[in-house]
Amino acid sequence: MIIGLDVGGTTIDTVAIENGKVVAFKKFERGRSLINSVLESLNQFVSKEMISNLERITLSTTVTTNAIVQNNLDKVGMIIENGIGANPEFLMCGDMNFFADGYINNRGIEAKPVNIESVKNALQSFKREGIEILGIVGKFSVRNPKHELAIYEAAKEYNFKFISVGYKLSGKLNFPRRVFSTYLNCAVYSTFNMFYKSILTFSQERKIPLEKIFIQKPDGGIVNLQDIENFPIFSILSGPAASAQGGFVLSNFAKNAIVIDIGGTTTDIAFLSDGNLVLEPYGAKIGKYPTLVRAIYSRSVGLGAESIVKIVDDTIKIGPETKRWHEQDKNEFATLHDVLQFSSSHPGSPVNARLKSLSSQLNMSQEDFCKLVISRAVAMIEEKMKEGIEYINNLPIYTINKLLYGEKFAPQKIILIGGPAQLLKPHLENELKIKVEVPKHYMVANAIGCAIGSISKEYNLVADTIQGKMVIPELNIYQSIPADFTIDQAKKVLIEKVLEYSEAKNKEDVEIVDEHSFNMIRSFKFCGRMIRIKAQLKPKFLNLRD
Amino acid sequence: MLKAKNSLGLILFPAFDWRISPTHPEREERLLYTIDQIEEEGLFDYENIKIYNPEMIESKYIEMTHFCIPAISSIVTVSHKIAAGSAITIAKKVLSKEVEKGFALIRPPGHHAHRITYGDKGFCIINNEAIMVEYLRKEYKIKKIAIIDTDCHHGDGTQDIFWNDKDVLFISLHQDGTTLYPGTGFTDEIGGPSAIGYTLNLPLPPYTSDEGFLYCLDNLIIPVLEEFKPDIIINSAGQDNHYSDPLTNMNFSAQGYAKLTEKLSPNISVLEGGYSIESALPYVNLGIIFALAGIDYSNIKEPDYNPEKLKQSQRITDYIKRLCEHVYSIWKSKEESEYKIKMANQDYYVRKKSIYYDTMGFRENQLEKIKICKKCSGLILIDSLCLGYRVLAIVIPHDACNDCENEGHKLFENTEVGDYSHILLQDKKSFELFRKTS
Ligand SMILES: [Zn+2]
Ligand SMILES: [Zn+2]
C-alpha cells in the first residue's frame, strides 16, 4: 500500500494505491493551520488496514513554501566567499552577512586561501547578535569544497543550532543561486522542524515507522523524512511536481506532451519532452530568490474552477481571486466552474441567473458570454504553454551536432488533469486544435503523482588529469585519479558510483546524457584532459494498471 | 531577479564537438572555462541578459563578402558557417531592438579572412564581422559602420574587405607587425583611393598595458568616431592582448578590456582570438559582458592580477602619444590625401599583394586594380594566383555608378575563361554572384 497526500491551494488530496490500483481517495478541505490540516487529513484517511501493509506514505506539502511567502523565517548569518566576479552586495540575503577573503577558481584550484581569522571574528559577532543559524557558501565550492569545509570546522566551536554548507545542496554551478539556496535552507529550519516533529508524533501514535514516511521534492523525486532533516529546502514547491508526475503516469505513453493541471485556484503547466519531464535548468525560484533546488519546470496561471469571473470596464476578467475570498455574497458573481457548467437547457437554475446578470452587462446572450469567457481562459493557458515551448526550444546548445540535428520540442497532446478537466477538455481541443487526454482518476492525479514519486536524478563528473582530481559533487565525491585517466574510465566510474550510492539497481537505470573530453594544452603541448560527464538516473514509475 | 542596466544578447557557442587538430590552440577548451565562469556568476539569471542559439549562415551572404576558392562547399566548414551565422543572429537581435547590445562568443574567429579566401589563415576562413556588415547593409539599409578591432593581431582580412569602402571605418589596434603575425597593419596602410583615411592602424609596441590601450581610445578612436558618426559600432573583440596570452606579448588586463568596452560602447561585439583560455578568457569575457550590460565590473580581476608588474615603460607611453597624433593627422588630412592619390593615378590604382596562409603554409599573389571613378568608389579587379588556381575577381561596389556597373558586367562577359580557373563577378549592388569556371 502506498499513500499519497498533496496539499493544494483549496484542498488536501489523498489517495491509496495497492497492487497498481487506486483503492481509495478523498479530498479534504484545507483549514487555517496547514500543519493541523495535514495531520487531520492523514488521521482520517489512513486506516488501520492501510497501516498493516503499508509500503510508504509520501507527503507533498507547502509548509516551507508558505513560511517563505509569509516571511516567517529564522534569523540567519551568512559567511560568503564571493571571490572574483560581480559586486557581491546583492548577495546579502542573511540577517547578518560576512564576505570572506579567498578564492577557488573554476578548475577547483585554490587561487587564494581563505582568511579564517576574520571569519572567526564574524562568527563571534553573529553569536553576539543572537544568530543561531549559519549558512556558508563559496564560489566554485562544488569544484572544491575546501574553503566551505574549513569555515564549517571553525564554526563548529560556536555551537550554532544549524549550519548549512552550500556545496551539499546542488552540484550545479551558479554562485548567487547557491547563496540564496543556502540562505533559504537555513531560514526555513524552524518551520520545517515543527512540521517534522508533528509528523514524528503522528508516526509514533499510529505506529508507522519513520522509514516509511517520505517527502516529495520539487523535482518529483521522493526522499525519506529523516534524510531531509538537514535539507528542509527540498520540501518546497512540490505541488507542481506532484501534478506533472500524476498526469505523466496516468496517461498513455507520450514522448512529447504538455501536462495541464487545472485546480481550484491555479492551473499548472508542465512539459514532457523526449519522454522526460522538463526540469528548470538551474532550479526553482522561491519567493524572490532564484535557487539551485532541482525542480520540474512549470508555468502557472492564476486560473481555476473557483476563479471569479467579473466585468471590469466592460471587459471580462477571470481570476486570480477565488470564490473563497468572497464567501459571503455568493450570488453576486460567477466562477469559471459556473461558466464551464452552463447549459441553456436549465434556464431557471441559480447559476444561469448569475450568468445572465453578467452577460447582460455586455449586452450578450448567456451562451455567447460563456463562449467568450472560455476562450479567454483557454487563451490564458495557451499563452503560458507557448511561453514554455519557446523557453524549452531556446535552451542553450553547445555542440554543432545538437544545433544541426537536435529536435525541436513540439507537443503531440495535452494531458489534462484536475477537478474541472472533463469540462475543459472539449474547449481546449476545439480552440487549440490539439489532442487532449483526460486520464482516469484525473480528480486526484496529483495525489497519485505524489504517492508514486520518481527517482530521476542527475550526476556530474568533472575530472582534471593535470590536477589528478575528480569530483562528483552530487555524491560528495572528491578523489584522486591517475594522469592517464580517460573518458571511458570516467564513464565507468560515474556509473559505478551512482549504482553504489543511489536507488538505481542496475546499469540500465543509469544513462550517460552528455560527455566531453577536452585536451588541455599549455605552451603548445598536450598536458592533460578535462573530462565532463553527465549521467541521469532514469525515473522509474509504478505501473498503474487500471 | 537581477537586472542589468543595459539589455544584452549573448551567443555562447563553444562548438564543443569541433576542433582543427587535437593540440591546435583554436580548440574546444577555449570557451569551456568562460562558460564555467559565466554559469557560476549566474549571468543566465539576469532578466535582461538573453542567451540565443546561433543559426547557420546562408551562402548568399558569404558570396557577397568573399570569393571562396575553389568553392564555399570545399573550404568553409560547418563551424565557420555557424560562427558567421552567430554574428548575423546577434545583429538581428540588436537591430530589431530585442536587446540594446550584443556579444557573440563564438569560435572559430574570422578577422584574418580576406576578400579572396583559399582556406584557413590565422584560424580564419570567412570573416564573421565583414559578413555581418554586408548583411546589415542589405537587410537593414545601414549606411555608416565602424569596426574597431581590438584583437592583438592586425585585422588584415577585415581591412582588405573594406579597403576601398568609405562607409566602413576600420580601426585596428594590435601588436606591431614587425613582432607578430600577420606582419601587417602599419600606419601607412590607410585605405584605397576612394576611402583614404577610413582604414586606420595603431601598431603598438610589445608590453603595452591598460594605460596605452585606453590612451589610444581616448585620444584617437573616440574623437574619430565622434567625427565619423557611425550608425553602428562593431567591436572585433579579440582577447589575445592579455598579459597571459601564449601567442602574444602584450600587458592588457581584464579590467583594461572592461574599461575599453565601457568607453567604446559598441553595439555589437564579436569574439576573435584569445588563447590564454584559463588565465585570461574567463575573466576578460566576464569583464566585457559586464561592461556591455552596464554592471559594475570593479571586482573582476584575474587571481594573479598585479597592475604594478604590468605597468608600461615611459618609452612606450611616449611612443603611443606620438602614434596617436600621427594617425589622427592621417584622419584629418584624408580628403587632401585622397585628392592627391586620385590625381596621381588617373585610371586605375594598382597594388601588388602577397598573402601568406600560415596555418596551411602557402602563399597567394594578387594584383589588385581599383578604378578611379568620380561618381562612385570604383570597380575592383583582382587577379589572384594560388595553389594552381588563377582567379579573376570583379567587385561591383554597393555604391557603384552605372558606368562601373556596366563595365564590370562587360568585363565578366567578354573575358575568356582561358587561363583562368575562375572568373567571378560579385555584384554588391544587385546582391548577386556570377561565376565562370574552367
Ligand atoms: Zn588574434
Ligand atoms: Zn563609378
Side-chain angles (χ1 to χ4, degrees), chain A residues 289-354:
Chain A
Y289 297 112
T291 75
L292 284 172
V293 176
R294 223 173 100 103
I296 283 174
Y297 173 78
S298 76
R299 305 274 86 191
S300 188
V301 204
L303 177 89
E306 299 194 349
S307 293
I308 287 171
V309 178
K310 59 186 175 187
I311 290 156
V312 182
D313 300 331
D314 290 337
T315 51
I316 296 166
K317 202 171 169 284
I318 314 167
E321 300 92 344
T322 59
K323 196 169 84 181
R324 286 193 133 204
W325 300 26
H326 295 255
E327 217 79 62
Q328 311 87 336
D329 42 7
K330 260 188 182 144
N331 291 323
E332 302 300 309
F333 58 82
T335 63
L336 182 62
H337 192 250
D338 295 337
V339 174
L340 286 167
Q341 267 196 318
F342 168 76
S343 127
S344 42
S345 56
H346 296 101
S349 76
V351 170
N352 287 11
R354 282 181 297 193

Side-chain angles (χ1 to χ4, degrees), chain A residues 83-87 106-107 139-140 174-175 177-178 282 395 397-398 400-401 519 521-522 524 532, chain B residues 2 13-14 16-17 22 27 29 32-33 36-37 39-41 44-45 53 247 278 290 296 299 301:
Chain A
I84 291 162
N87 221 314
N106 62 307
R107 277 177 61 203
K139 197 166 260 181
F140 285 115
N174 194 319
F175 181 62
R177 284 178 182 260
R178 191 175 313 119
Y282 291 99
L395 288 173
I397 295 171
Y398 290 150
I400 293 171
N401 202 43
N519 284 348
I521 314 294
R522 302 291 175 268
F524 303 100
R532 305 263 171 110
Chain B
L2 292 162
F13 196 71
F16 277 160
D17 48 352
R27 65 188 184 278
E29 194 193 358
L32 178 66
Y33 306 123
D36 280 353
Q37 199 77 33
E39 276 202 78
E40 181 70 345
E41 209 49 52
F44 291 94
D45 286 329
N53 285 320
L247 302 188
E278 195 180 350
F290 273 34
D296 178 4
N299 191 37
K301 285 174 186 149

